[in-house]
Amino acid sequence: MPEWVEAGFWGLLAGSALLIGAAVGFFVRVPRRVTASVMAFGAGVLLSAVSFELIDEAHEQGGLLPVAIGAVVGALAYTGANVLLSRRGARHRKRSGDEQPSEQEKPGSGTAIAVGALLDGVPESVVIGAGLLAGGPVSLVTVIAVFLSNVPEGLSSAAGMRQAGRTSRYVFGLWTAIAVISGAASLAGYTLLGGAPPEVLATITALAAGAILAMITDTMVPEAFEDAHLLVGLITVLGFLVAFALSHT
């Protein structure tokens, strides 16, 4: 399989986990505590992947300065876009309860939520494609980490969309589109960054890592700790260790 096709395939595969989670969240009445636990696990997985796959790899490629610049720019870009989308009704797009507004309560919130979901998914997909430029094993670990974290994201968000009265057509149309765009973003990460200097690759990887870290804090952590119980912290650590183990096998 040509590597550019492989890049698109892995991005699409990781994005398809959103559909799996969305199907569970939309059709199954998952208790809030279970949703919080699953989201905590996903947050731990992503935190480990960002630390040991993205930031560490970027540091090896380009050193500290590109990593620092990329991560800060990525976090600023994500935060700025998230603030704008939040004002239009997308603030609680990954919440499973009744926090999401309906279209009647906040006209245009459906579009804002769709754009917000895209904002959350693109950085992860770009680094999957870019990871192939550095070698298959690193990319595979990132794919697994993104896949594992996408399931709870889709689950929680779809449950919240159902509570807000959004139809199955909207929910599954949205997540199908995001999965396809994830594949395209991964392909773009591979094709556009091919032949780029190590410092540029490091900066782009760190930029995506900064955006992902901001996303975890802004959208995943609030849901994970909304119905916090005594095991949530432990579950987050377990997710972190699973991804860490994958990166060292």
Side-chain angles (χ1 to χ4, degrees):
M1 182 187 298
E3 281 196 341
W4 66 271
V5 176
E6 187 179 354
F9 169 77
W10 287 124
L12 181 62
L13 178 65
S16 68
L18 291 165
L19 277 169
I20 297 173
V24 175
F26 195 84
F27 294 115
V28 181
R29 300 283 178 174
V30 181
R32 291 291 299 273
R33 286 192 166 215
V34 173
T35 302
S37 298
V38 176
M39 188 65 87
F41 183 86
V45 167
L46 267 188
L47 284 170
S48 181
V50 168
S51 301
F52 296 106
E53 293 301 318
L54 304 185
I55 293 294
D56 190 55
E57 177 67 25
H59 184 264
E60 289 183 6
Q61 288 176 327
L64 181 59
L65 185 59
V67 169
I69 292 174
V72 170
V73 170
L76 284 172
Y78 178 90
T79 301
N82 195 44
V83 167
L84 293 176
L85 290 169
S86 295
R87 293 173 179 172
R88 288 162 174 77
R91 179 73 183 99
H92 301 295
R93 59 186 175 275
K94 284 201 173 89
R95 305 299 297 274
S96 61
D98 58 1
E99 295 89 353
Q100 288 188 29
S102 66
E103 199 64 27
Q104 290 72 31
E105 294 170 330
K106 187 76 173 181
S109 58
T111 300
I113 289 171
V115 176
L118 182 63
L119 175 69
D120 297 338
V122 166
E124 301 169 350
S125 302
V126 169
V127 296
I128 289 174
L132 279 171
L133 299 172
V138 171
S139 176
L140 183 58
V141 171
T142 306
V143 169
I144 294 172
V146 173
F147 187 96
L148 290 175
S149 64
N150 275 346
V151 172
E153 289 184 45
L155 187 158
S156 181
S157 185
M161 291 174 185
R162 182 194 63 211
Q163 293 268 28
R166 292 189 164 84
T167 65
S168 59
R169 182 177 180 179
Y170 170 86
V171 172
F172 292 102
L174 169 62
W175 293 120
T176 299
I178 297 302
V180 172
I181 293 172
S182 294
S186 181
L187 176 60
Y190 177 81
T191 56
L192 297 179
L193 297 176
E199 293 78 9
V200 173
L201 273 177
T203 302
I204 297 299
T205 301
L207 189 149
I212 293 170
L213 280 173
M215 181 273 290
I216 293 170
T217 305
D218 284 348
T219 65
M220 296 184 73
V221 170
E223 176 62 22
F225 289 93
E226 171 67 19
D227 289 294
H229 50 82
L230 295 178
L231 297 180
V232 165
L234 174 61
I235 293 169
T236 304
V237 172
L238 290 176
F240 184 95
L241 291 175
V242 166
F244 178 78
L246 288 172
S247 67
H248 288 77
T249 55

